[in-house]
Amino acid sequence: MKRHHHEERSKFLSLENHFLNTFFSGLYLSAGDFIAIGRANGLDLQMHSREMLIKDLLNESDKIGTTNDVITSINHLIDERISTYHRLSLEYPGARTALAKLAQKATGTKALLARESRGNPYEH
């Protein structure tokens, strides 16, 4: 008989998947970015795949009650990336359209984070 490993489903699954897909998020956050955000918020994350790091970052911050701080840190990083997209669009006019789409998606990601930080009113 096969043993199946049952992993608890993350309550942040949609957010995790969003960050792992640059097409939807408009950003690429590296493993180092996730580790730095964790460190800045009291979490010592070990080097793993990006998938494991975002999962650990969100779920561990939820356990210790620092999710809103982590979301604030992610938002600061997104703001930096959006500023970079705008600066690059001025320096490289031929890439302006593509960079504007990335900036728009990154802004949408901030809206998703804002909804997450407010939480689900139907939970609890």
Side-chain angles (χ1 to χ4, degrees):
M1 177 187 246
K2 287 186 179 180
R3 285 189 158 180
H4 294 279
H5 176 69
H6 293 284
E7 187 175 315
E8 190 175 317
R9 185 178 169 116
S10 171
K11 74 182 216 179
F12 299 104
L13 187 60
S14 64
L15 193 56
E16 294 163 10
N17 289 334
H18 186 80
F19 276 109
L20 292 172
N21 190 326
T22 305
F23 178 79
F24 294 117
S25 68
L27 320 149
Y28 178 84
L29 299 180
S30 70
D33 292 329
F34 293 132
I35 290 170
I37 290 168
R39 187 177 305 122
N41 289 283
L43 295 169
D44 183 28
L45 301 176
Q46 302 302 311
M47 183 55 86
H48 286 291
S49 67
R50 289 174 58 245
E51 179 180 4
M52 289 303 300
L53 283 166
I54 187 63
K55 183 182 297 282
D56 289 349
L57 176 64
L58 295 172
N59 288 296
E60 293 302 315
S61 69
D62 186 50
K63 286 180 188 173
I64 64 173
T66 60
T67 304
N68 285 336
D69 296 332
V70 166
I71 288 173
T72 298
S73 295
I74 293 171
N75 273 323
H76 287 306
L77 183 59
I78 292 171
D79 286 338
E80 290 173 14
R81 300 288 166 86
I82 291 171
S83 292
T84 300
Y85 294 154
H86 290 307
R87 180 181 51 78
L88 289 171
S89 71
L90 295 173
E91 293 175 13
Y92 302 97
R96 188 169 290 149
T97 302
L99 290 166
K101 285 180 183 175
L102 289 174
Q104 182 180 17
K105 288 178 182 185
T107 300
T109 296
K110 287 185 64 165
L112 179 64
L113 284 169
R115 283 193 303 276
E116 189 64 47
S117 69
R118 284 192 302 269
N120 184 346
Y122 300 108
E123 286 182 352
H124 299 60

